[in-house]
Structure formats: C-alpha cells, structure tokens
Amino acid sequence: MDREEAAAALKAAEAHRQTVRAAARWPVLVLVAFGCVMFAVDFTTAFVSGPWTLIPASWAVIFAGWGAWYAHRQRVAPLGFLRRYLLAVVAGMLLHGVYLAVLIAAGLHGDPLAAFVGSLVVAAPFFIGAHVESRAW
C-alpha cells in the first residue's frame, strides 16, 4: 500500500466514524423526550383526579410506543445503552411511584410547587441519562 492509498483509507475510515457518531446520537433525543413527557405527566397528574388521570397516563403510553418504534428504526446504538436506558427508566418509574404516594399521603394534590418539584425529580433520571449519553460523543 502506498502513501496515497493509505491516506485514502484513513480518510474513508474517518468519514465512516463520523457517520456512526452522527447515527449514535439518537439516545439523547429519546431520553430528553422521555424526561419531558414524564415531567408533563407528573405535573398534570397533580391537578387532575378520577378518570381524568388517564389523559396524562396516555401521554406516557403513547410516548413509550413512539420511543420503541423510533429506537427500533435506528441502525446504530452505543455500547451499553440498553443497560443505561433501563436504569433511567426503572429509576424514573420508582420515583414516579414515590411522587404519587407523597402527593396523596401529604395531601399536596393541586399544590403547584409540589407538582413542579416532584415532576422535576421524576424527570431527573432521564435528563441525567441524556447527559451521560451526550458525553460519550
């Protein structure tokens, strides 16, 4: 292999690396979107009751379907992403349960400050996960 062939091979490898890096950025989008959806779901849940709670819950279900469809369409996934994604989802869902329990037990239903802080805490694992994924670039 002469010098020109080696330079062309290195240039092609670098172009391929850039393509793979660009294709592997989708987890940040999914985690940020999931965090925003969970924030909206939990914030809204603090102000509705009865069958109306099904409306924000349906947002989470619709997003989960979109997220699975979107992730399935991607050709590249960062190494270890599934483990980190599941960690964020499990932490978020556990915090969601604690948030609902505290909201009900403490009688904070309808309190905007409690809704904002609780929703932010529930969404935090997804935003932290997005930050961790963005650092891998």
Side-chain angles (χ1 to χ4, degrees), residues 17-66:
R17 185 179 77 79
Q18 290 297 331
T19 302
V20 169
R21 277 184 70 175
R25 291 184 179 156
W26 64 269
V28 174
L29 170 70
V30 169
L31 287 166
V32 168
F34 209 159
C36 291
V37 166
M38 289 309 296
F39 180 85
V41 165
D42 287 323
F43 189 80
T44 305
T45 301
F47 299 102
V48 296
S49 60
W52 291 104
T53 57
L54 295 175
I55 292 173
S58 67
W59 299 343
V61 171
I62 289 169
F63 175 78
W66 172 83

Side-chain angles (χ1 to χ4, degrees), residues 3-4 11 19 21-22 28 32 34 38-39 46 48 53 55 62 68 70 75 89-90 100 109 111 124-126 133 137:
R3 181 180 215 135
E4 292 173 13
K11 187 175 180 180
T19 302
R21 277 184 70 175
V28 174
V32 168
F34 209 159
M38 289 309 296
F39 180 85
V48 296
T53 57
I55 292 173
I62 289 169
Y70 186 78
R75 298 179 307 181
V89 169
V90 167
L100 291 179
H109 191 270
D111 181 11
F126 301 103
E133 290 300 319
W137 300 342

Side-chain angles (χ1 to χ4, degrees), residues 64-77:
W66 172 83
W69 171 80
Y70 186 78
H72 180 70
R73 291 187 54 223
Q74 305 307 310
R75 298 179 307 181
V76 177

Side-chain angles (χ1 to χ4, degrees), residues 66-132:
W66 172 83
W69 171 80
Y70 186 78
H72 180 70
R73 291 187 54 223
Q74 305 307 310
R75 298 179 307 181
V76 177
L79 187 63
F81 171 68
L82 182 60
R83 180 179 44 83
R84 292 187 302 273
Y85 176 74
L86 289 176
L87 179 65
V89 169
V90 167
M93 293 304 111
L94 287 174
L95 288 171
H96 174 72
V98 169
Y99 167 74
L100 291 179
V102 168
L103 201 64
I104 293 167
L108 296 173
H109 191 270
D111 181 11
L113 181 62
F116 180 77
V117 171
S119 300
L120 201 56
V121 168
V122 171
F126 301 103
F127 296 137
I128 291 169
H131 176 70
V132 168

